[in-house]
Amino acid sequence: LLSEHATRPALDRIALLRATLFNVLVGNADAHGKNFGLLHGNEPVGRAGVQLAPLYDLLSTLVYPDLSRRYAMKIGRAREFADVKPDDWTLFAERAGLSPAQVRRELGALAQKLPRALAETIDGSASDASDDARAMLGTALEDTTVRCEIAARHARVRAGA
């Protein structure tokens, strides 16, 4: 859809890839197609055409023990992060019309940056939070850090290796 209709398809495809990787790494199992949107026309994109909308509904569903860990959309053949293998990223890339090398590069870069960025965000905003909220944020950070460590290893594996 983006390739055919977006004003800047390459930029929007990278943005959508990064959003998907972010959702996987933070443990947002509820990231489904209706959580992504397109903007059309002159407002608010500032020009005619179609563009990926700003992201919304970003959260870690892992901090809610009663919610499923099953992804709304697969990563390769996997429905849960525990089942994602390096080859699943290759299959994901192929299905998305992206190069596996590009997906591995973006995955590795985000996996390296995300734990620190999340920790800094939590440190800067949790001072007034309740004990329960701080515990939930700590759990989100721990889970995300583990996922990022695994994803970084996946990113270093070449397709088919």
Side-chain angles (χ1 to χ4, degrees):
L1 186 64
L2 289 174
S3 296
E4 295 174 19
H5 299 288
T7 305
R8 301 179 316 177
L11 293 176
D12 283 344
R13 286 174 59 180
I14 291 295
L16 184 58
L17 169 62
R18 289 175 178 161
T20 301
L21 297 176
F22 176 85
N23 280 315
V24 169
L25 294 177
V26 299
N28 184 2
D30 190 46
H32 51 80
K34 290 183 180 181
N35 291 129
F36 301 97
L38 299 175
L39 299 175
H40 187 283
N42 292 329
E43 296 297 329
V45 296
R47 64 185 176 286
V50 174
Q51 163 178 332
L52 190 65
L55 300 176
Y56 53 92
D57 204 12
L58 300 172
L59 71 151
S60 174
T61 57
L62 296 177
V63 300
Y64 301 100
D66 294 340
L67 295 181
S68 173
R69 292 179 174 255
R70 230 173 121 79
Y71 292 131
M73 296 189 281
K74 290 182 183 177
I75 298 299
R77 291 172 295 279
R79 281 282 189 189
E80 294 187 25
F81 187 79
D83 298 328
V84 176
K85 308 292 182 245
D87 284 347
D88 288 306
W89 294 109
T90 301
L91 183 57
F92 166 78
E94 291 167 355
R95 288 178 177 167
L98 302 166
S99 80
Q102 181 180 32
V103 170
R104 285 193 313 271
R105 248 188 333 271
E106 293 292 337
L107 178 63
L110 187 57
Q112 181 181 17
K113 295 175 190 175
L114 187 56
R116 179 182 226 183
L118 184 56
E120 289 173 357
T121 300
I122 290 170
D123 287 346
S125 62
S127 61
D128 294 332
S130 69
D131 290 343
D132 287 345
R134 278 196 293 278
M136 188 180 285
L137 292 169
T139 298
L141 179 58
E142 289 171 16
D143 288 343
T144 299
T145 300
V146 169
R147 286 167 171 261
C148 286
E149 290 167 356
I150 294 167
R153 288 194 299 272
H154 287 179
R156 290 190 293 269
V157 175
R158 291 200 173 266

